[in-house]
Amino acid sequence: MAALRVYEVRVRILSPTIITRRRTENGFLGPLDYIPAQTLRGAVVSSLFVEGLMDRNRMRAEEEVPTVFSSPAYPVIGGARTYPAHPFAMECKVCAEKGEATLVGELDPRKLEDSLAERRDLELVPVECGSGHRALKPLHPNKFLVLEGGKFSAPKERRGGARTEGGGRASAEKSHSVSVAISRGRAAGIKGMLYHYEFLMPGKEFWATLVLPAELSIPGNGLQLMIGRGVSRGFGRAKMDVVGEVTSSFSGTVKVLYALSPTLGAPEGNSTYPSAIELRDVARRFGLEAERTVRVSMAYGRTIWVSAGWSMVRGEPRPRVLCRAQGSLLLLEEQVEGEASKALSLLRYTGTVTELGGRKVFGFNHLVPLGCM
């Protein structure tokens, strides 16, 4: 198998972008605050084809035997990369109203891993903040944290933050548009043809990792992408730039996995997370020898419905699936060391490829050893 290279990339939104949680009868509502892995991967493969860096046969082959992988893309806030909040991170609503420090819970990944490995999970559930307030709000899975000094902390936008006159937080990152269909004959609006769009505004920046085979690369001046819905009407223009190549040398002990993406189990088990993780495929992709199967005993995190994306080759949507949300934590039955831990740490870049109804889906089970974050 051809050698794979891992890059850290930045994606900057150049035009209003529709990446929504749901499609309604009259439009697309609930814009996501991140770019799902399957969406970003599809945009990259399409752009490589358009730019002549990948031919049609190669693009079709990517549907069955992928060599291009992308992680989800999460916001860059104040120059810092953000991560989905884990289930034991809370925010004090009273302190937030006062503009004070709001985070409550275990914010050290290593201590969090040790507590879960020792089955002291109940001790991790905070009851009140340091000021004695019990009005705590879970941040998992829709809020983001940064890693500073080896600990999770609130991004700069939530440390106080601008507020509107009504007391809510001001935001210039999302907007809402209403469109109406016009009758050609009457030059007037058509009844019942009113459409609503919620979208991300231009200027927002995301970070992600991208895996490419050695024969493919991102041009030095960046790669132009079309992301999300409405690209034929000017929505979703973005640019991807490479920050640098990533080298992974993790060799520690793994007890708990952090989900950088939604997790999905085997289809026959109807599970929201993988009860068994085969390391053979990811190890072979990166030239390692690891035949081990790692078993997961427990998962912490909310369940959500996720679209598995769109098949560019078949021209049809992939199924919606029930998953554990990004930021979830998976507890392993036994700790993993040596070559197996190296292979396990590489899942953060590729995730796993799962087959559903005869179609392969991507963008799930991007897992990171919690202790090496």
Side-chain angles (χ1 to χ4, degrees):
M1 180 172 290
L4 298 179
R5 295 180 177 176
V6 182
Y7 301 93
E8 182 179 338
V9 297
R10 292 287 191 272
V11 178
R12 180 174 290 274
I13 300 298
L14 302 178
S15 71
T17 299
I18 303 172
I19 310 174
T20 55
R21 300 180 191 278
R22 64 188 186 279
R23 177 180 180 179
T24 68
E25 183 179 352
N26 294 317
F28 303 99
L29 301 176
L32 294 174
D33 292 316
Y34 70 99
I35 305 174
Q38 54 268 38
T39 300
L40 185 57
R41 177 183 179 272
V44 169
V45 170
S46 295
S47 184
L48 291 173
F49 171 72
V50 170
E51 295 291 335
L53 301 173
M54 177 183 291
D55 61 26
R56 188 176 297 276
N57 290 334
R58 177 68 178 272
M59 186 175 71
R60 290 181 180 277
E62 283 291 325
E63 186 85 359
E64 297 297 328
V65 186
T67 60
V68 176
F69 300 90
S70 170
S71 74
Y74 292 113
V76 174
I77 300 176
R81 299 182 301 178
T82 64
Y83 298 82
H86 64 75
F88 300 102
M90 306 267 183
E91 181 180 58
C92 175
K93 293 187 284 186
V94 177
C95 292
E97 289 296 324
K98 296 178 180 179
E100 301 173 353
T102 63
L103 284 189
V104 183
E106 182 54 73
L107 304 177
D108 186 324
R110 292 168 181 79
K111 292 182 179 179
L112 182 60
E113 180 180 46
D114 290 339
S115 295
L116 291 176
E118 295 169 7
R119 301 300 179 98
R120 293 186 285 110
D121 47 354
L122 292 180
E123 298 177 15
L124 294 171
V125 181
V127 177
E128 60 185 27
C129 73
S131 300
H133 305 132
R134 296 198 170 191
L136 304 183
K137 177 177 67 174
L139 297 178
H140 173 76
N142 297 320
K143 298 296 182 181
F144 302 99
L145 303 175
V146 299
L147 273 171
E148 293 181 331
K151 293 185 178 182
F152 288 110
S153 61
K156 291 182 179 179
E157 71 169 10
R158 290 219 310 275
R159 298 171 187 171
R163 292 180 177 274
T164 63
E165 292 183 4
R169 294 195 181 277
S171 174
E173 297 182 345
K174 300 177 184 178
S175 190
H176 179 266
S177 177
V178 180
S179 301
V180 62
I182 301 298
S183 168
R184 293 184 179 180
R186 298 185 301 108
I190 302 175
K191 184 177 181 181
M193 300 291 280
L194 196 66
Y195 297 96
H196 298 258
Y197 300 92
E198 290 183 334
F199 46 79
L200 298 176
M201 294 295 289
K204 193 171 179 66
E205 187 178 30
F206 301 85
W207 75 274
T209 58
L210 181 68
V211 177
L212 296 175
E215 67 271 18
L216 293 177
S217 62
I218 301 299
N221 60 349
L223 190 67
Q224 299 295 321
L225 303 179
M226 303 300 289
I227 297 174
R229 304 274 187 171
V231 295
S232 62
R233 298 187 296 278
F235 290 98
R237 289 192 303 111
K239 183 183 179 185
M240 172 182 284
D241 291 297
V242 174
V243 175
E245 189 168 352
V246 178
T247 57
S248 178
S249 58
F250 178 76
S251 59
T253 300
V254 184
K255 307 172 188 175
V256 179
L257 296 171
Y258 167 88
L260 195 60
S261 71
T263 66
L264 181 65
E268 62 272 13
N270 294 320
S271 175
T272 55
Y273 64 91
S275 58
I277 303 172
E278 298 282 352
L279 298 181
R280 179 182 55 196
D281 288 344
V282 66
R284 287 173 55 193
R285 289 189 183 108
F286 289 93
L288 300 177
E289 293 291 336
E291 298 290 331
R292 181 170 175 179
T293 298
V294 176
R295 301 198 175 277
V296 178
S297 62
M298 188 177 300
Y300 301 89
R302 292 187 57 183
T303 55
I304 58 172
W305 284 97
V306 173
S307 168
W310 180 271
S311 171
M312 296 173 293
V313 174
R314 301 190 185 193
E316 61 185 19
R318 295 188 175 98
R320 283 173 58 84
V321 289
L322 186 64
C323 308
R324 292 288 173 137
Q326 59 277 7
S328 295
L329 301 172
L330 306 186
L331 177 63
L332 303 183
E333 285 187 2
E334 299 178 349
Q335 67 181 27
V336 180
E337 300 176 322
E339 199 82 346
S341 71
K342 292 181 183 179
L344 195 56
S345 70
L346 293 170
L347 282 175
R348 70 182 301 165
Y349 305 122
T350 66
T352 61
V353 180
T354 306
E355 189 165 320
L356 290 176
R359 291 176 290 181
K360 292 186 178 179
V361 297
F362 315 95
F364 298 95
N365 301 328
H366 288 257
L367 304 172
V368 187
L370 185 60
C372 78
M373 293 189 65

